[in-house]
Amino acid sequence: MAYILEKTDRDLFYSRNDPKDRRLGELVHRGKMLSVRDSDVVIIGVPEDRGILANKGRAGAAKGPDDVRRRLYKLTPGFNMDLDRIKVIDAGNVSTKGLTLEEVHLALQEAVADAVSRGGIPLVIGGGHDLTYPGLAGLVQGAGLKKDSLGLINVDAHLDVRTDENGINSGASFYRALSQLPDKALSGSAFVEFAIQEPYNSPYYYNWVKKQGGSVFTLKEVSERVMESFIQALSMVSKKGHIVAISLDIDAVRSTEAPGASASNPSGLKAPELDKIAYLAG
Amino acid sequence: MAYILEKTDRDLFYSRNDPKDRRLGELVHRGKMLSVRDSDVVIIGVPEDRGILANKGRAGAAKGPDDVRRRLYKLTPGFNMDLDRIKVIDAGNVSTKGLTLEEVHLALQEAVADAVSRGGIPLVIGGGHDLTYPGLAGLVQGAGLKKDSLGLINVDAHLDVRTDENGINSGASFYRALSQLPDKALSGSAFVEFAIQEPYNSPYYYNWVKKQGGSVFTLKEVSERVMESFIQALSMVSKKGHIVAISLDIDAVRSTEAPGASASNPSGLKAPELDKIAYLAG
Amino acid sequence: MAYILEKTDRDLFYSRNDPKDRRLGELVHRGKMLSVRDSDVVIIGVPEDRGILANKGRAGAAKGPDDVRRRLYKLTPGFNMDLDRIKVIDAGNVSTKGLTLEEVHLALQEAVADAVSRGGIPLVIGGGHDLTYPGLAGLVQGAGLKKDSLGLINVDAHLDVRTDENGINSGASFYRALSQLPDKALSGSAFVEFAIQEPYNSPYYYNWVKKQGGSVFTLKEVSERVMESFIQALSMVSKKGHIVAISLDIDAVRSTEAPGASASNPSGLKAPELDKIAYLAG
């Protein structure tokens, strides 16, 4: 299936007009997929949240890609990141006009496959968490991954391993990743669920993940040493020759504000930190 | 004094209608006090906040029991909690209709005593923090506790050891527990104030607690290692033959949002975690 | 230049009317600068935020001094602070009526110099963060500090070392402190930037601070052990004979609520804790 990318609104590319204080809005390139070269990071937005409604959730995430850009592009790259060396291209948003949710999934898969086949490192911004699956499928397709050659960490409050037997929904991405990816690219032993919050997940799905050979790091377990735990998770999924993908659900961060939820450390799971280690080849 | 329990609104018992993902709203039984058997956990709500107004606080906690249920019953039991083995009965709310605050206290005391005498493990949801005292008095009465046979931890931003010389108020529960419980069931040496925030408490009351032989763990002291500190507190109050009660003031958790207050770690004091260790026999 | 202090509104001095529970509103003296004696702490407010607007920020900090007092004066002094021994005088707010921002800066400098020359320990409450510079200049002037005799820690999300070539602004205080203080009282080696958040600061200004010999402790570096890190910073700036000043930007605390920002530990940077160690002679 073909896909259409709608260019990102110019106004989202923030600038202070100060050469001494350049922001990501000035450093990220508003470009076309055709311009992607080896090792470029490619930002792809997907303004789609129908999968969340299908999982009894609240709508709103369709605004996610542009809201994330609005905040992200106000930040600096930090002190040690050389954005003259690493090129970041914002390729726009996958068009959802007139498409079913299934068609949007296929369009995203194609867009990611295209980026990867050009040597790009895709950074997908949703949208519902159901979009993780087509993102992974596109990665497998574009990189031509074979059996057991993908590693995956899901940083999330939720396990998201419900079935999709009643259709696509935002709680099923990792069920699909473990059971439906082309060439069985992902095996359970290369999959880690990270910062899972027990009271939001049932023992049934927890046991299902374990049965597939996957690992579950609960928030309670990682909260004292988030970064060390994450590096441990990374080493578990980064086997020889593996491509590693990271999925970050904003739920994992939002827990800071949930009453009764572990507040402090999950906020250590900062998007920028994760971005840096996303898609590292093992 | 007799007491009346009003049954909990059926709508509060949340369900996803998914046998693979049962929530507490499905696992907790909407039952009668008469049905309580040995080792059942008994939830008793008290929609009463007049004691808070008497301590210059804000009203609203009268809605606490049902608000807590609304959130609590959406949660799962976690991964390792066997709710087929442990029966949890929601016995409803103590009726406050036409009663003075003093009469509500007596009604709660009787309800708790009744639950305990049937072998139940009461979990009281307030309401004002003044309700802790009648809850403890009911525990002492129902279990027939003698001198020095109760252990108590108050997880709270506040010491709550003001006198009740001008009447019941939400800042006096632990003054009352140390000086007025039947048979002097609680001695200071079996009492720990946990996660206390210095700027909200006066040196006078701090010194009063110490003078009774009680221990004060400030938030500053416990915030680096909340669970370890809590286990230490538990071992201090869990003497041979002691029944241990835990009081949790939502203040201890809310501090996460208070500007200038220690935000991060108190949120580690999660209600579900505390529930698990509440009322352990020493 | 002369300065005028407007007395603090009596209503801000909170009291519970309980001799067992005295609050800072009762313990802090509403007094005149003339009454300041050796070792008194002197609170000086500056209701001024024009410097924030000049740095593309939002107004509102002009209400800071009274808002801080409203909250601060409700607190107790904690359990170990002897406010019979340490006298705290609230000398009121620097009058800004009819003054330009430059004139307010000079007035604040004179007020601080006056407090210091009487032996007082000034605690300035802004207002914009540009006010830090005149506060430091007043300290240098009042204490007659010579070259390399001041130590300084800036607890802040931002480095605030922009130039003031286009006029006073809230992002330039530490550029000014390092380059414009009388007698070069502050050298880079006695300056620490503490709890700085990388994504809000450019590499250019980071490198500028390092080039001056200053130290930058990022939030990521200090968040695991805030107090230990702070004591380390303190030892770095507390050289023999040095007077140490602490600047606290509320940004460092507010980060708890910023999405994507390190939430947990900066909130450990509580104003009361910092107050206790502010202006220690090295």
Side-chain angles (χ1 to χ4, degrees):
Chain A
M1 181 182 163
Y3 66 91
I4 297 169
L5 288 172
E6 292 164 354
K7 287 205 125 187
T8 301
D9 187 347
R10 279 187 195 282
D11 291 346
L12 295 174
F13 292 83
Y14 178 83
S15 168
R16 268 184 79 101
N17 297 313
D18 177 355
K20 293 175 184 167
D21 188 4
R22 294 191 301 162
R23 302 303 171 99
L24 290 177
E26 299 163 281
L27 297 165
V28 169
H29 302 261
R30 184 171 174 271
K32 299 201 171 183
M33 186 66 85
L34 285 169
S35 70
V36 172
R37 297 286 175 273
D38 200 35
S39 302
D40 290 349
V41 173
V42 186
I43 296 175
I44 301 169
V46 200
E48 169 67 74
D49 57 14
R50 283 173 284 185
I52 299 176
L53 296 174
N55 192 28
K56 311 187 185 185
R58 279 175 298 177
K63 290 178 182 168
D66 285 357
D67 281 354
V68 168
R69 286 179 176 107
R70 190 170 289 113
R71 286 172 175 278
L72 181 68
Y73 290 166
K74 282 183 180 161
L75 304 179
T76 72
F79 300 153
N80 301 309
M81 183 114 170
D82 184 356
L83 285 192
D84 296 323
R85 207 174 52 81
I86 303 169
K87 193 174 179 186
V88 181
I89 296 173
D90 184 338
N93 285 339
V94 171
S95 175
T96 64
K97 276 192 200 116
L99 301 187
T100 64
L101 178 55
E102 287 71 20
E103 289 167 337
V104 170
H105 272 222
L106 291 174
L108 173 60
Q109 178 174 339
E110 290 301 322
V112 169
D114 199 355
V116 171
S117 67
R118 292 169 189 280
I121 301 166
L123 175 59
V124 177
I125 307 175
H129 207 183
D130 50 289
L131 299 166
T132 297
Y133 177 75
L136 293 170
L139 175 62
V140 170
Q141 177 184 327
L145 296 188
K146 301 300 172 202
K147 190 164 188 296
D148 294 346
S149 53
L150 179 67
L152 177 62
I153 302 177
N154 175 35
V155 181
D156 197 343
H158 300 94
L159 296 166
D160 283 349
V161 291
R162 300 179 195 282
T163 70
D164 60 345
E165 60 193 7
N166 296 318
I168 292 174
N169 70 81
S170 67
S173 271
F174 304 100
Y175 169 82
R176 300 188 70 192
L178 285 166
S179 60
Q180 299 170 14
L181 276 176
D183 293 308
K184 287 200 153 265
L186 177 69
S187 72
S189 62
F191 175 53
V192 174
E193 299 265 21
F194 192 86
I196 299 300
Q197 296 183 34
E198 286 200 38
Y200 304 141
N201 296 278
S202 78
Y204 176 89
Y205 291 117
Y206 170 76
N207 289 327
W208 188 87
V209 173
K210 305 291 279 186
K211 221 171 285 173
Q212 312 307 311
S215 299
V216 178
F217 288 32
T218 65
L219 180 60
K220 208 163 117 186
E221 288 163 355
V222 306
S223 62
E224 303 264 318
R225 319 173 164 268
V226 172
M227 287 316 294
E228 289 97 318
S229 301
F230 191 81
I231 288 163
Q232 189 194 340
L234 207 54
S235 76
M236 289 171 68
V237 304
S238 303
K239 295 172 191 167
K240 203 158 176 287
H242 271 44
I243 297 285
V244 175
I246 314 286
S247 169
L248 172 65
D249 190 317
I250 195 68
D251 275 354
V253 178
R254 286 234 186 106
S255 65
T256 48
E257 299 170 62
S262 262
S264 64
N265 295 291
S267 58
L269 305 175
K270 285 173 288 182
E273 284 176 2
L274 289 175
D275 289 355
K276 285 175 195 166
I277 42 179
Y279 294 112
L280 292 174
Chain B
M1 182 182 162
Y3 65 91
I4 297 170
L5 288 173
E6 293 165 352
K7 288 205 124 188
T8 301
D9 188 347
R10 279 187 195 283
D11 292 345
L12 295 174
F13 292 83
Y14 178 83
S15 168
R16 268 184 80 102
N17 297 314
D18 178 355
K20 294 176 185 166
D21 189 4
R22 294 191 299 163
R23 302 303 171 98
L24 290 177
E26 297 162 281
L27 297 165
V28 169
H29 301 262
R30 185 170 174 271
K32 298 202 171 183
M33 186 66 84
L34 284 169
S35 70
V36 173
R37 297 286 174 274
D38 200 36
S39 300
D40 291 349
V41 173
V42 187
I43 295 176
I44 302 168
V46 199
E48 169 66 76
D49 58 13
R50 282 174 286 184
I52 299 175
L53 297 174
N55 192 27
K56 309 186 184 185
R58 279 174 298 177
K63 290 179 182 166
D66 285 357
D67 282 353
V68 168
R69 285 180 176 106
R70 190 169 290 114
R71 287 172 173 278
L72 181 68
Y73 290 166
K74 282 183 182 162
L75 304 180
T76 73
F79 300 153
N80 302 308
M81 184 115 170
D82 184 356
L83 285 191
D84 296 323
R85 207 174 52 81
I86 303 169
K87 192 173 179 187
V88 182
I89 296 173
D90 183 339
N93 284 339
V94 171
S95 174
T96 64
K97 275 192 200 115
L99 302 186
T100 63
L101 179 55
E102 288 71 18
E103 290 166 337
V104 171
H105 272 221
L106 291 175
L108 173 60
Q109 179 174 338
E110 291 301 322
V112 170
D114 199 356
V116 171
S117 67
R118 292 168 190 281
I121 301 166
L123 175 60
V124 177
I125 307 175
H129 207 184
D130 50 290
L131 299 166
T132 297
Y133 177 73
L136 294 170
L139 176 61
V140 170
Q141 177 185 327
L145 296 187
K146 301 299 171 203
K147 190 164 189 295
D148 294 346
S149 53
L150 180 67
L152 178 62
I153 301 177
N154 175 36
V155 180
D156 197 343
H158 300 95
L159 296 165
D160 283 350
V161 292
R162 300 178 194 282
T163 70
D164 59 346
E165 61 193 6
N166 296 318
I168 292 174
N169 70 81
S170 68
S173 271
F174 304 100
Y175 169 81
R176 299 187 72 193
L178 285 166
S179 60
Q180 299 169 16
L181 276 177
D183 293 308
K184 286 200 152 266
L186 178 69
S187 72
S189 63
F191 176 54
V192 174
E193 299 265 22
F194 192 87
I196 299 301
Q197 296 183 34
E198 286 201 39
Y200 304 140
N201 295 278
S202 78
Y204 176 88
Y205 291 116
Y206 171 75
N207 289 325
W208 189 87
V209 173
K210 304 292 278 185
K211 221 172 285 173
Q212 311 308 311
S215 300
V216 178
F217 288 33
T218 65
L219 179 61
K220 210 164 117 187
E221 288 161 356
V222 306
S223 63
E224 304 263 317
R225 315 169 168 270
V226 172
M227 287 316 294
E228 288 97 318
S229 302
F230 191 81
I231 288 164
Q232 190 193 340
L234 206 54
S235 75
M236 289 170 68
V237 305
S238 304
K239 294 172 193 168
K240 206 159 175 287
H242 271 45
I243 297 285
V244 175
I246 313 286
S247 168
L248 172 65
D249 190 318
I250 194 68
D251 276 354
V253 178
R254 286 236 186 105
S255 64
T256 47
E257 300 170 61
S262 261
S264 64
N265 295 290
S267 58
L269 306 175
K270 285 172 287 182
E273 284 176 2
L274 289 174
D275 289 355
K276 287 177 196 166
I277 43 180
Y279 293 113
L280 292 174
Chain C
M1 181 182 164
Y3 66 91
I4 297 170
L5 288 173
E6 293 165 353
K7 287 205 125 188
T8 301
D9 187 347
R10 279 188 196 282
D11 292 345
L12 295 174
F13 293 83
Y14 178 83
S15 169
R16 267 184 80 102
N17 297 313
D18 178 355
K20 293 175 185 167
D21 189 4
R22 294 192 299 163
R23 303 303 172 99
L24 290 177
E26 298 163 280
L27 297 165
V28 169
H29 301 260
R30 184 170 174 270
K32 298 200 171 185
M33 186 65 85
L34 284 168
S35 70
V36 173
R37 297 286 175 273
D38 201 35
S39 301
D40 291 349
V41 173
V42 187
I43 295 175
I44 301 169
V46 199
E48 169 67 76
D49 58 14
R50 283 173 285 184
I52 298 176
L53 296 174
N55 192 28
K56 310 186 184 184
R58 279 174 298 177
K63 290 179 182 167
D66 285 357
D67 282 352
V68 168
R69 286 179 176 106
R70 190 169 291 114
R71 287 172 173 277
L72 181 68
Y73 290 165
K74 282 183 181 161
L75 303 180
T76 72
F79 300 154
N80 301 307
M81 184 114 170
D82 184 357
L83 284 192
D84 296 323
R85 207 173 52 80
I86 302 169
K87 192 174 179 187
V88 181
I89 297 173
D90 183 339
N93 284 339
V94 171
S95 174
T96 64
K97 275 191 200 116
L99 301 187
T100 64
L101 178 56
E102 288 71 20
E103 289 167 337
V104 171
H105 272 222
L106 291 174
L108 173 60
Q109 179 174 339
E110 290 302 322
V112 170
D114 199 355
V116 171
S117 67
R118 292 169 189 280
I121 301 166
L123 175 59
V124 177
I125 307 174
H129 208 184
D130 51 289
L131 299 166
T132 297
Y133 177 74
L136 294 169
L139 176 62
V140 170
Q141 177 184 326
L145 297 187
K146 301 301 173 201
K147 191 166 187 297
D148 294 345
S149 53
L150 179 67
L152 178 62
I153 302 176
N154 175 36
V155 181
D156 198 343
H158 300 94
L159 296 165
D160 283 349
V161 291
R162 300 178 194 282
T163 71
D164 60 345
E165 60 193 9
N166 296 319
I168 292 175
N169 70 81
S170 68
S173 271
F174 304 100
Y175 169 82
R176 300 187 70 192
L178 286 165
S179 61
Q180 300 170 15
L181 277 177
D183 294 307
K184 287 201 153 264
L186 178 69
S187 73
S189 62
F191 176 54
V192 175
E193 300 265 21
F194 192 87
I196 299 301
Q197 296 183 34
E198 286 199 40
Y200 304 139
N201 295 278
S202 78
Y204 175 88
Y205 291 117
Y206 171 76
N207 289 326
W208 188 87
V209 173
K210 304 292 279 185
K211 220 172 285 174
Q212 312 307 311
S215 300
V216 178
F217 288 33
T218 65
L219 180 60
K220 208 163 117 188
E221 288 162 355
V222 305
S223 62
E224 303 264 317
R225 318 172 166 268
V226 172
M227 288 315 296
E228 289 97 318
S229 301
F230 192 81
I231 288 164
Q232 188 193 341
L234 207 55
S235 76
M236 289 170 69
V237 305
S238 304
K239 294 173 191 167
K240 205 159 175 288
H242 270 46
I243 298 284
V244 175
I246 313 286
S247 169
L248 172 65
D249 190 315
I250 194 68
D251 276 353
V253 178
R254 286 234 187 108
S255 65
T256 48
E257 300 170 60
S262 264
S264 64
N265 296 290
S267 56
L269 305 175
K270 286 172 288 184
E273 284 176 1
L274 289 174
D275 289 356
K276 285 177 196 166
I277 43 181
Y279 293 114
L280 292 173

